[in-house]
Amino acid sequence: MTTTTTVLSARPSFVETFQRLRLGPYLFVLGVAAIDYVVIGPNQFVNALTIGAIYALVALGYTMVYGIIELINFAHGDVFMVGAFTSMFVLTQALGQDGPIDSPGMLAVVLFINFTITMIALGILGAAIERFAYRPLRHAPRLAPLITAIGVSFILQNIIQIIYGPSPINTPQVIDPAARVEIGGVSIGVVNIFTIVTAVLLMIALQMLVSRTKIGRAMRSTASDRDAAQLMGVDINRTIAITFFIGSALAGAAGVVQGLYFGNIQFTLGFQAGLKAFTAAVLGGIGNITGAALGGFVIGFVEVTAGALGFFVWGQAAVFAVLIITLVFRPSGLLGQQLGERT
Amino acid sequence: MKLRKLGGLALGAMLVAAACNTGGGATATPGAPAPGATQAPVDKGTLKIGVTLPLSGGAAADGQPTMKGAQLAVDQANEAGGIGGYKLELMVLDHAVNGKYNEQQGAQDMQTFVGDSAVVGVVGPYNSAVAKVQIPISNDAGVLQCSPANTNEALTKPEFGALDYRKNFPERINYVRVAATDDIQGPAMAVYDFNTLKLRNLLVVDDVTTFGKGVADNFQKKFEELGGTVQRVGAPADTTDFNSIISAAKPETDGVYYGGVVTSGAGLLLKQLRQQGKTFPFTGPDGIVNGSGKAEGALIQIAGAAASAGSYGTIAAIGDFPGRADFEAAYAEAFKNDADFNTAGAYSGPAYACATIILKSLEEFLKTSPDADQAAIREGVRAWASDTSNTFDTVLGTESFDKNGDTTQPFISFYVVDPAAADGAGDWVFKEQLNFAQE
Amino acid sequence: MSGQGVTTTTQPSSTSGNGAAGDVVLELRDVHTYYGKIHALQGITLEVREGEIVTLIGSNGAGKTTTLKTISGLLHPRAGTVHFRGRDVSHTPAHKLVRDGISHAPEGRRIFSRLTVMENLQMGAYTRTGREIDENVEHVFSLFPRLAERSGQKGGTLSGGEQQMLAIGRALMARPKVLLLDEPSLGLSPILIQQIFGIIREINAQGTTVLLVEQNAQQALEVADRGYVLQTGRVILADTAANLAANPDVRRAYLGEI
Amino acid sequence: MTAANTKLSRTPAGGPGLRGRLSDLSSRHRSIAVIVGMSLVALVLPLIVLLPPFSSFSGQTVWMDGFTIAGIYVLLALGLNVVVGLAGLLDLGYAAFFAIGAYTYALAASPFTGWDLPFWPMLLVGAVVAAIFGILLGAPTLRLRGDYLAIVTLGFGEIVPIVILNSSKYTDGPNGIGGISPPTLLDTRFPTTGNPWPFYLTMLVLIILSMIFIYRLQDSRLGRAWMAIREDELAAAANGVNTVVTKLLAFAIGASTAGLAGVFLASKLQTVTPNLFRFDVSFTVLAMVVLGGMGNVWGVAVGAFIIFMIQSVFLKQLNIFFNNVQVPILSDIDFLQYQFLLYGIALVAMMLLRPEGLFPSRRRRRELHTEEDEVFAEHGDAMGAAPE
């Protein structure tokens, strides 16, 4: 994310520096964004960024889990869905909210409490899933945890269905969805800005955590070589649990944002969103955190552009087409290493 | 209407205790079945009325009140002493799989009905897509099927391909329906939008289902004929984000028509429209007229009462019929113990009417052939019901069917959302109804 | 064969003060380890005393690496015990043993290729905190000045020799009591091999006990005090390094003499 | 690594010679066993439903119609078992091939196109068309790791109904295609109601042929290659197995079985709509394969049959039963609605407690239980979670 600024100071052999910084993917995404902006206009562009931000937050969980234990956590989309319901529960039951809050101070407090509780609760859920459903299978054939993940996905969906029923349910939109601000002559919803900013802040926080802290190093070294990490004194089980915790907490944050933005949630929410977020993770280069974030936005562009050009029904198909094309032509994604690369 | 007392014979097995209290209501309801007045009070056994609807999960909100409409009619008939010496039993099969209607399960359920010779007629289905797999089976077996809610025109009208579904016996009409078809419902709203609401440039969204796309196609055709312009988008029923569709709407857009049923889609479309500051009318077929702001999963509930203001919908049936209040009271009384579905739904009345038509046909047939076997009864019921010269006094008024099995009284009723109704939760209120019999 | 004084070298930093030989810090008693159904170690018994360099030699598949993995906790014995400083650690997980003082530089270096050199070293000191880490880094840099030059580089971009230095340096970061080295010379040029073995001596001289697994038995026996010869999961010979180097069977089988 | 190699060496190289002939003989016996077994099943099922607990639910014809539909799922499970159970590839979009088969026949024999091609050759055509799509999808993606395949197939399973829905010109979109011709034999059309025997027996023959075919494959060189790939792809490749072609064959054969089932479904229902092939079909069949015992042909067949009967008969009867007797809590539970909750619990429990399934093959059980001890699994540095 930050490397884009470094290129400006690059003097010696532009091509060389360009290759070393691996700026291609960033420029690609920027290019896509720029073209898209021209094609679909500012309003649609904001729509794309908003849903892209949600996909990106969900994609981070896929990519982190895949990075560390090479498992496609099929249940992650449903963890996101549970996050949306948890957020609704916190807002309505714990905080007694049912609509827009006018006072900014009050709004900030409510949002802070909501994000904190939801993210912690979802983190615990994610770590618990790992502990009971995946850890016992860590040495089993690859197929086993994949199938378990599908089972966990069914279980989560049905538990929510039992509690909240099959119908879509309204969730409080504490940020007035009709509130808009004028930025550069474009009228943008406050909730859109909030969604995008929240997602970017969380991504930066995650990036800092992973690159600057001890636990971040533990996660990266575990992902890189589990046994060597263990020999350094890293508690693998704990590190993997923390990874699930963080990934699921981010999905919880995405769930909060989803509720705030759409104001309506349903137990089936996780399936489609999960698939799209997974596509984002693959597109960005699975295992790569920045890649997942970029991928999320690209998926947002693809989907919204299809809608904007009048091919809404093909939007979903287009997303999967992106997935297949990526896997066929560049399985490492925009930023990832080649699959199975061992250096 | 004269009620003949039977020696407590039929009363014993009654599922709904409250049915006892509806005796008075039944006589007052125009559609109440006329019990076999001329028959001797002998017990000839049990005949079955099948009900094939999606009844569980998300589909329960549609299916359950519809099923209970049929149940009420059968309970009342039993209470009145059965028909022609027969007791009646409701045989209910649910073809919702994982909370959504499932055609293959619907086909299997129809096989179950046709395979049970005691089944003399079937009420249902709810979704046109299910009818498409069921009609070939019921047609082959010659079982009368009366749908309270199917509106897809291809199910009955040969010019839309109906003969594909009754391929084995194209001349044998076994499928009738009391709802008006979408080639009437869609255009009706088109005329209303153009003439009454004065809309000229519409965004038409359909949910890419048999019903939704069909009705939207019919709507669009008529609206364009009238001189309006249409921007057409398909959005699958589970769509949650309509913002890109709304943002892509042409600036001159002055209204929306949504073809489909409400899962979450229509409600979210309406909600997001209002959030983007679009206050123009939101119109649609019977799929969006699905209850008040208090009903879980209803359009008004999802979008909110305030946002729902300016929404117009049609029902492909008569909305204001003479016995409506009586029927709804009888329904409420009969099912007062059911926490979830104790008020009549949009298709409770039509389902009640369908059951009435089957029972009436049975009664008339047994009058002429009291000793017929089950196979003959089944065929007799079908023949009587599909005979275009016969009429039925039902809760919907006097019904009869044309040569394709469509109702000859294709009423379209218009509803509008009143945000203040239902204690401020918002509800659909009846505006007017038109008979399109001559179209 | 010059060899270090077999058991006579006094350990400057030996804290136990228990005479020249030092205490037994590590002891394996009849250890049996399995990979699934494969019986890899079939009763290994050996001991390592404080301050020693002990080497395990043997052909491919003899169980050398498995022995190290069993000691460091990556594998656990199905029968028999591993004692470290008098405590049974047979079933202690690897990450806890690091804290207790066993560092294992595994075969094939296994450095974290996408972490920088500095981050790799920090990972080595994962169980240590604060100022200790900085001191250790300086210590490692003093042993391997090349690593200091490359501290910002990704581990994967280093040359083979540098990677080996990093692997050893990383293992030292935890300030181990016992350092397990698995094939430190593998794939290195003769000059580099000399260099690495020099450093191993230096590490040992600074007070770290070393258990060394080597294909290059010649070199290993040169630096080691004692040695064990493994064959198909069993110890077939145990003696001082000098004696082993002189043993004709050993010379024939492992030192390339015809 | 070593473990995998030893395991691999257990499977013989196959080919001619005594051993080849022996395995040929055993597979011939197996074919007879299949024919005898399935014929017994064919006879017993119609008879058993005449007995009290079953006969009270519905008549024989209804039961047999249900068995015929169950047979479609048995066929699907047999095909998916080749992909998942034998070759170890997770296919989550299996319903797509089912849809392709069904639409192939729907287009070939319905008023929508005006063609009325005969059913029997179309069975083969449907299977081939599905297999071609399987190859088109598999060829580029089977080079990748197994779990990517899972996602690609999941995406494919989503795309196919979307494409069918939105290509009204060629598929009549959400309306589906009606008026599909039922099969004809000796100038007699199969009755769609009343007499369930023709469809029932046809389905039975399809199952028998598929089972024999799959058993033969399993005992062939190809079958051993599948198993080798399932256990360790790298080792299999090192032993000379062309992994891409081998996986592709598994994928294509699995797809063709689904295509077969699709053609049959279209002719049985006489109407197809995109809604029939949603992802829940894929997941239901997967649950059948997992619960039945991955890799075991008889196991998955029995598993599929039982699960189908549970979902379409037992859960329904349970609903009706509890509704009638009015047990306080139980009558409020809608058992049909929680079918997927049951699947979910079963999948997780199965993987944790009994990964070989309810009816495991002996070989599979052996494999799955050897790895229980602490194994030093060789993890490569596949991908770091490192940023940039």
Side-chain angles (χ1 to χ4, degrees), chain C residues 20-177:
Chain C
D23 284 342
V24 174
V25 285
L26 191 64
E27 187 180 9
L28 277 69
R29 280 185 218 144
D30 194 27
V31 165
H32 292 257
T33 304
Y34 289 75
Y35 287 105
K37 282 189 171 168
I38 295 155
H39 196 171
L41 297 189
Q42 309 181 358
I44 296 277
T45 299
L46 60 81
E47 60 176 45
V48 178
R49 288 172 180 273
E50 187 150 3
E52 280 187 314
I53 298 183
V54 173
T55 184
L56 304 182
I57 56 179
S59 55
N60 265 338
K64 307 186 299 282
T65 296
T66 311
T67 306
L68 291 196
K69 284 177 178 174
T70 307
I71 295 171
S72 67
L74 285 177
L75 292 173
H76 299 294
R78 201 175 281 183
T81 54
V82 179
H83 280 80
F84 177 60
R85 301 169 91 190
R87 204 160 55 83
D88 185 352
V89 295
S90 313
H91 294 279
T92 310
H95 66 267
K96 288 202 176 129
L97 287 175
V98 181
R99 218 171 292 258
D100 295 346
I102 297 180
S103 271
H104 181 176
E107 189 180 8
R109 298 150 201 159
R110 305 289 280 265
I111 60 159
F112 304 117
S113 56
R114 300 179 69 185
L115 271 61
T116 63
V117 169
M118 183 56 105
E119 283 175 329
N120 265 283
L121 292 177
Q122 285 170 337
M123 279 312 299
Y126 187 78
T127 56
R128 305 276 171 246
T129 47
R131 189 148 19 97
E132 238 185 314
I133 299 178
D134 299 334
E135 284 170 14
N136 291 0
V137 169
E138 266 168 49
H139 174 233
V140 170
F141 282 166
S142 71
L143 283 173
F144 305 103
R146 285 285 283 283
L147 294 183
E149 292 164 27
R150 318 230 150 185
S151 68
Q153 230 168 294
K154 288 267 163 70
T157 63
L158 298 184
S159 72
E162 289 164 344
Q163 287 193 357
Q164 188 58 60
M165 291 174 189
L166 179 56
I168 297 173
R170 189 179 64 175
L172 285 174
M173 285 294 293
R175 287 274 163 146
K177 291 279 177 300

Side-chain angles (χ1 to χ4, degrees), chain D residues 328-343:
Chain D
I329 298 163
L330 288 175
S331 46
D332 286 343
I333 297 180
D334 190 338
F335 291 95
L336 281 174
Q337 196 181 328
Y338 300 122
Q339 181 185 323
F340 272 72
L341 177 63
L342 300 179
Y343 285 167

